[in-house]
Amino acid sequence: MKVVIVEDERLAAEKLQRLLKQVDSGIEVLKVLESVEESVNWFSANVSPNLVFMDIQLDDGISFEIFDTLKIEVPVIFTTAFDEYAIRAFKVNSVDYLLKPVEKAALENSLRKYRNIYTAKQTEINISKVFEHMAKTYKSRFLVKIGTHFQSVPVENISCFFVEERSTFLKTKTGKNYDLDYSLDQIQKLVAPELFFRINRNFLVNINSISEILSYSTSRLKLKLHNFSSEGLIVSRDKAGEFKLWMDR
């Protein structure tokens, strides 16, 4: 299990890490974040962990401000010295609410509650996705017009789909562009999601055509595709975490 700790008190963070190892040696702490700002930046740029332990009162505000800025669907166990935020905590993805100082028995109980809720839920989701994938057939080719002729382009030969001046195009791996009668939203639903990813409003890229991934800013990425030079190949801030997960399947 991969977890992130949001805690501005160093001793409290160290104690929680020790307790987690005592309770379950398989738990990996990916990061300890100390502020609202640092948390927003980290969650914007990284793949979500399985679980977050989050103190409520941080140096630069309260941790609920993180949820006001980002859509975070990761389950959270709150840790705090006060019980005044309990009702608000359960309005987000809260599994439990631990009062400091956190005790081993209470931590074990919270982790047990997390596993009971989310292991069963994830199994249900995974089974649902398997049947959904089995039932859905994705396009294997697109018919394009070249003058007075038509040509069928297999999806494995398509480097990306993109929008330019309100028209939608596909680009082949050899660098040729063809106009399509579909919108990018329609194409996204027609192609296999394990093969194509919508990196921003204007580009849907083939995973096998990505030649290079570069850091573009603290929370965005820039891509290079084979036989394609474009300044628009930027993975948007809200897609960066999902994109990294997609690339790591």
Side-chain angles (χ1 to χ4, degrees), residues 33-238:
L33 306 167
E34 298 182 356
S35 67
V36 171
E37 182 180 4
E38 186 183 9
S39 299
V40 168
N41 291 336
W42 192 92
F43 283 109
S44 297
N46 292 273
V47 176
S48 296
N50 302 110
L51 178 64
V52 177
F53 286 88
M54 187 176 287
D55 187 14
I56 291 180
Q57 294 185 322
L58 304 172
D59 277 344
D60 60 344
I62 60 174
S63 56
F64 297 115
E65 294 172 28
I66 301 169
F67 296 90
D68 294 336
T69 306
L70 298 173
K71 182 180 180 182
I72 297 179
E73 298 181 346
V74 182
V76 178
I77 294 176
F78 285 99
T79 60
T80 180
F82 308 95
D83 60 4
E84 61 193 87
Y85 297 104
I87 294 177
R88 190 170 177 184
F90 285 101
K91 290 183 179 180
V92 294
N93 308 319
S94 177
V95 175
D96 210 348
Y97 188 94
L98 297 177
L99 289 176
K100 293 180 179 178
V102 176
E103 300 296 334
K104 183 178 178 181
L107 179 60
E108 286 177 324
N109 186 60
S110 291
L111 287 172
R112 191 178 304 114
K113 184 186 294 186
Y114 160 77
R115 291 190 177 98
N116 288 341
I117 296 172
Y118 285 91
T119 301
K121 181 182 291 187
Q122 191 60 49
T123 300
E124 180 181 331
I125 291 171
N126 288 341
I127 292 173
S128 175
K129 285 186 175 179
V130 168
F131 282 109
E132 181 183 342
H133 186 75
M134 289 171 62
K136 187 164 186 177
T137 301
Y138 296 101
K139 281 183 73 66
S140 61
R141 57 187 63 248
F142 284 81
L143 188 68
V144 298
K145 188 176 183 181
I146 308 170
T148 58
H149 297 81
F150 290 89
Q151 179 180 329
S152 185
V153 182
V155 292
E156 58 266 24
N157 293 343
I158 298 172
S159 175
C160 67
F161 299 91
F162 64 97
V163 175
E164 188 174 275
E165 296 181 354
R166 298 186 179 181
S167 295
T168 306
F169 300 87
L170 70 77
K171 179 177 283 292
T172 67
K173 291 184 177 179
T174 57
K176 294 180 180 179
N177 293 342
Y178 296 108
D179 193 4
L180 294 172
D181 290 330
Y182 296 98
S183 69
L184 206 58
D185 287 339
Q186 290 173 325
I187 294 171
Q188 186 177 0
K189 296 174 183 177
L190 293 172
V191 294
E194 65 268 19
L195 186 62
F196 288 91
F197 188 90
R198 181 82 171 267
I199 62 169
N200 56 39
R201 284 171 33 183
N202 295 327
F203 282 90
L204 184 67
V205 302
N206 186 333
I207 191 171
N208 297 315
S209 293
I210 298 172
S211 61
E212 199 169 353
I213 304 172
L214 306 167
S215 292
Y216 184 71
S217 67
T218 55
S219 57
R220 292 190 293 173
L221 302 169
K222 184 174 184 178
L223 306 185
K224 290 186 178 181
L225 304 185
H226 298 292
N227 297 320
F228 188 32
S229 175
S230 173
E231 293 301 315
L233 290 167
I234 306 298
V235 183
S236 62
R237 183 177 290 105
D238 61 324

